[in-house]
Amino acid sequence: MNISVLTFNTNNNLIDVDDLERIKENLSSDVIILNLQEFYYPFSYPNEFLEKIGKTFEEYELTFYDRFFGLITLILQKNNGISKIKPLKIGLGPCYFGNKGFISVLMNDTIYINAHLSAHTRNNTKRLDMIDDIFALIRAEYELEKTKIHTIVLSGDLNFRNEPSSSGKNNLRELSYPMCKEIDQIRHFQQKYPEFVESEITFEPTYKYEPGTDKFSKKRVSSYCDRILVCSNKAIKFDTYSSINDIKSSDHKPVFANFGIGKENINDKQLVFAKKYPSRLLAKVISRTYGTLYDNILLVIVFLGLLIILRICWKFGSHGSKNNTPDDIVV
């Protein structure tokens, strides 16, 4: 099975048709996973965006679409057979808020995860804890001990940073990736979860750019925040792993991978990595509530407005009734 995965933190910028065409040019598989982060589009935009997707990827069918705050996952297939799909979306922010979180999709025997983890160099331990939570939640939701899952694809703005070097070279355009590898915080994830593999990095850091340019921002140490990692019981063959430098609307660059998953198992190891999550149902309920409120924020605003109007009317009405007591009536 050949799969193309793209991850892109849009920095709350809309994606135009030209950028969608650039994305399509780099994706070569019959199954395409588009994972977006920080895509807080306006109320009227979802249908417009999906129309753009349909026109750009006209030979594909949209198998799955979902969003959770700024996270969006789309699955496109050329030969859209019957697919068993089960989504899960959970906020990983304070009180399960969705500014950081993930969308996962179980499709047939593969799990695709779109994650946006905690930012800043100092929060690496927090990022690793979030990944532990993600794996614990999908373990429970998809019953990984019982379900035959052969592949997990983890992608998104994982926010792993390059730690500032002692030499003071913060602009990593001057360094090749083998040198960056020693200061790339993702090494801590790879030590903890060696089952996940990543193709060789041959492109420049994907964050942080001055939007509209190819210039790195001086506000951050340039880093490989946007990643695609794969764990499978079958053989994995990466064909392409790169970024799309021509897209300049965001302070991130999109990252994509084209890879194949073999047919035969190379081991029988269960893809279970974490302890059980203690409050999965609570996390689902609260996250779903947040998501529903966000998706229907216009209705929420109207509803709150009506409550305020009713409150004002009731207040004036009650004052009026008090001022017209029997003792005040003149005959």
Side-chain angles (χ1 to χ4, degrees), residues 143-195:
E143 298 181 314
L144 295 190
E145 290 90 345
K146 302 176 183 178
T147 309
K148 291 184 178 180
I149 304 296
H150 70 66
T151 301
I152 298 175
V153 182
L154 172 64
S155 65
D157 181 3
L158 305 186
N159 253 322
F160 289 112
R161 305 302 175 95
N162 286 322
E163 295 159 341
S165 63
S166 57
S167 65
K169 287 186 177 181
N170 288 345
N171 187 339
L172 297 181
R173 186 186 287 272
E174 303 171 18
L175 304 176
S176 61
Y177 183 71
M179 296 177 69
C180 297
K181 194 170 185 178
E182 298 177 0
I183 58 173
D184 186 351
Q185 290 179 334
I186 203 171
R187 68 188 187 276
H188 301 293
F189 166 80
Q190 292 168 329
Q191 290 166 2
K192 191 170 186 178
Y193 297 105
E195 300 90 348

Side-chain angles (χ1 to χ4, degrees), residues 105-163:
V105 184
L106 169 60
M107 187 170 77
N108 299 327
D109 47 13
T110 301
I111 297 174
Y112 301 98
I113 302 171
N114 174 14
H116 190 192
L117 305 183
S118 185
H120 305 301
T121 305
R122 64 181 180 271
N123 287 329
N124 194 46
T125 300
K126 188 174 182 179
R127 281 187 283 276
L128 295 172
D129 290 342
M130 284 181 168
I131 291 174
D132 289 344
D133 288 344
I134 291 172
F135 290 159
L137 284 160
I138 67 170
R139 170 187 177 176
E141 182 71 14
Y142 302 134
E143 298 181 314
L144 295 190
E145 290 90 345
K146 302 176 183 178
T147 309
K148 291 184 178 180
I149 304 296
H150 70 66
T151 301
I152 298 175
V153 182
L154 172 64
S155 65
D157 181 3
L158 305 186
N159 253 322
F160 289 112
R161 305 302 175 95
N162 286 322
E163 295 159 341

Side-chain angles (χ1 to χ4, degrees), residues 273-286:
F273 308 110
K275 298 178 181 178
K276 293 183 178 180
Y277 196 82
S279 52
R280 176 175 62 97
L281 293 178
L282 179 64
K284 287 178 65 175
V285 169
I286 295 177

Side-chain angles (χ1 to χ4, degrees), residues 11-79:
N11 192 30
N12 200 23
N13 288 292
L14 302 183
I15 302 176
D16 61 28
V17 174
D18 290 339
D19 284 347
L20 284 176
E21 289 289 351
R22 293 186 182 99
I23 288 171
K24 182 185 177 183
E25 288 171 2
N26 289 282
L27 307 180
S28 59
S29 303
D30 291 343
V31 178
I32 293 176
I33 317 296
L34 301 179
N35 290 328
L36 307 177
Q37 305 88 39
E38 291 192 17
F39 196 39
Y40 301 99
Y41 49 60
F43 304 119
S44 60
Y45 192 66
N47 291 336
E48 180 184 341
F49 176 64
L50 292 177
E51 286 177 9
K52 289 180 181 178
I53 291 288
K55 290 178 180 178
T56 304
F57 296 88
E58 57 185 358
E59 66 272 39
Y60 290 82
E61 292 186 36
L62 182 63
T63 302
F64 175 82
Y65 162 80
D66 202 359
R67 75 166 182 166
F68 183 62
F69 287 80
L71 287 166
I72 291 181
T73 294
L74 302 101
I75 299 179
L76 302 158
Q77 295 187 84
K78 275 189 177 178
N79 301 312

Side-chain angles (χ1 to χ4, degrees), residues 236-256:
I236 306 166
K237 182 180 182 298
F238 283 93
D239 297 317
T240 319
Y241 188 39
S242 190
S243 62
I244 306 176
N245 291 326
D246 291 339
I247 295 180
K248 303 177 182 181
S249 56
S250 173
D251 54 358
H252 289 252
K253 296 295 184 184
V255 171
F256 69 95

Side-chain angles (χ1 to χ4, degrees), residues 292-320:
T292 301
L293 290 174
Y294 179 79
D295 289 342
N296 299 280
I297 189 66
L298 193 58
L299 293 177
V300 172
I301 292 172
V302 171
F303 178 71
L304 291 176
L306 289 173
L307 286 180
I308 292 171
I309 292 171
L310 289 173
R311 171 65 177 170
I312 293 172
C313 292
W314 177 84
K315 186 175 181 180
F316 279 104
S318 62
H319 279 305

